[in-house]
Structure formats: structure tokens, C-alpha cells
Amino acid sequence: MTTAAPAGTRAAAPAPARPASPYRLSFGRVVRSEWIKLLTLRSTWWSLAVTVALSLAISLMMASAARDFGGGLSPVMTIVMPMQFTMLVAGILGAIAVTGEYSTGMIRSTFTAEPHRGAVLAAKAIVVGVVMALATALTYLVAILLTAPILGSAGIDWSDPAQSWTPLAAGVFAMAMFALIGVGFGFLIRNGAGAIAATVGVLFVLPIVTNMFVFAGESWQWLVDAGQYLPMSAAQMATTPAGDDVLQGIITLAAWPAALLLAAWVALRTRDA
């Protein structure tokens, strides 16, 4: 038996179904969000500005003093050698790009929006690496234009890739790898000071320590040999014009951030943000 609805009343209409949102958090959107976050930080632009200014200043000084090197300095080295100093800024930029989110707690929002933490790590690594590579390539271009009038006829021989394009490309690659080393330490340590200290230690301090044992005799030669597999030594091998160990340098450079990012991915999966 059914009960008739009172007169003058109308049955409530069913609520219309909400249309499905056309937006999905794809990996491309994660990359775009990381791109926005990195480029809207003042620390990013300060780091890039210091890198460019330091690199150009050293290149100009080396080009001006090129004749005093006795002809033993390849012209392309005036462009890539400042990397021995700018590598620290690259590594620190990579570290603070990660630890800045941990210090503000924004990393929790990031992982809430994208629960797949490996995707966040990959996106951040891609963005940091690309930004550093583009900044380095642009810096090299400006340095080449500025030093060409100074070097004159003793400038870069563009007809020989081993004396020109190969060292420059290796320099761009090395700077990107230095930044990714900072990213790896940032995710592993999650503290700004700690990540920066670890990055500076690997990039700058350890090469000095291993070089101190060059005169220590054969019993310490193993430590000197191990130093050849540090990132800075690998970068020197990769950027040496017409060098015999360019491939070894490139592989070693790629292995460092690969190992650190893999360890960071494991850590992200096994601990809270």
C-alpha cells in the first residue's frame, strides 16, 4: 500500500550528477608545478646570478692571462675551468630546491597532491637539471663571445670537436649532474645545512683530502686512485680537450646522482615526509 503525496507538494528532483573533472595530475603537470616552484624562488635566481657572474669573471681573467700560460692552455679551457668553483653553487641550488620545501612544510602538500613520491622526485630532478644545463649553456655562449676578441687568432678551434664542442657539452652535463647531486642529498638528509654540507663535502672537500696523499707513498695510492672517481675529478676528465678518459668521466658523473637519487627514492618510500 502506498501513501499519496500531500496535495500541493512536489517530489524532490534528484540532484544532478557532477560532471567529471577534465583535469588529471599527470606527470607533465607535476613537472610544470616543480618548474613554477623553482623559478619563483629568489634563491634560485640569486644562485644562477652568482654562477653566471663567477663563471664570466674567471673566463675573462683566464683569457687575458692566456699568453702567460706558455701556450699550454687550450682556449676552450678558459670557458669550462670556472666549473671548479661554480660547481658548488650548482650543488647548493639542487640541495635548497628540496630542503626549502621540507623547512616550510610544503613538501606535505606536494605529496598530498601527488602521492606517488617517485614522480615528485623525478620531476624535481628533471627541472633542476634542465634549469642548470640551460643556464650553463647560456653562460658558455656569453663567455665565448666575450673572450673571442681577447684570444684573437688563438681562440677556440671549432673545426675540431675534441677541442671545442665535446668539452663544452661535457661542461654543461657536469653542471647539471652537480645540481642533481644536491637534489639527492636534499631528499636523503631533508635538512638545508646538512644537505649543503654533504654536497660541499663530496664536490670540494674530498678531492682536496685525496690529493693530500699524492706524496704519501705507494701504501696510500689506493686513496689517490679512489679520488679519480669523485665528481670533480670525473668532470675534469670529461672536459679535458682531446682527453683519453672522456667516456669514463661522463659515466662517473652520471653514476653519482643516479646512486643518490635511487637511495632517495628508497628513503621516500620507507619514511614519512
Side-chain angles (χ1 to χ4, degrees), residues 22-209:
Y23 301 105
R24 295 290 183 273
L25 191 58
S26 63
F27 182 71
R29 293 184 182 276
V30 178
V31 171
R32 182 172 180 269
S33 67
E34 293 297 335
W35 183 271
I36 293 172
K37 284 190 289 185
L38 183 65
L39 294 186
T40 52
L41 292 173
R42 283 182 293 180
S43 59
T44 299
W45 294 104
W46 275 109
S47 299
L48 294 177
V50 170
T51 302
V52 173
L54 189 61
S55 183
L56 292 178
I58 296 175
S59 291
L60 287 171
M61 288 190 294
M62 291 187 65
S64 300
R67 64 174 66 92
D68 298 327
F69 285 93
L73 180 68
S74 174
V76 75
M77 294 304 293
T78 63
I79 309 300
V80 299
M81 279 190 70
M83 176 181 60
Q84 298 182 46
F85 304 96
T86 57
M87 65 175 180
L88 294 177
V89 187
I92 291 172
L93 172 62
I96 62 177
V98 178
T99 58
E101 285 201 59
Y102 278 100
S103 64
T104 61
M106 186 178 179
I107 194 68
R108 298 186 183 91
S109 301
T110 299
F111 288 151
T112 300
E114 174 51 272
H116 299 91
R117 299 185 176 187
V120 174
L121 184 148
K124 193 175 290 290
I126 290 172
V127 169
V128 171
V130 168
V131 167
M132 183 52 62
L134 291 176
T136 303
L138 180 60
T139 302
Y140 284 177
L141 176 60
V142 175
I144 290 169
L145 295 176
L146 292 178
T147 58
I150 301 174
L151 295 172
S153 59
I156 299 174
D157 181 10
W158 296 104
S159 63
D160 185 0
Q163 296 285 344
S164 54
W165 297 106
T166 301
L168 291 172
V172 172
F173 179 77
M175 287 293 287
M177 294 303 102
F178 294 148
L180 293 185
I181 287 173
V183 171
F185 278 126
F187 275 113
L188 283 172
I189 300 176
R190 302 189 296 180
N191 174 270
I196 291 173
T199 302
V200 172
V202 168
L203 295 182
F204 187 73
V205 178
L206 285 183
I208 295 177
V209 173

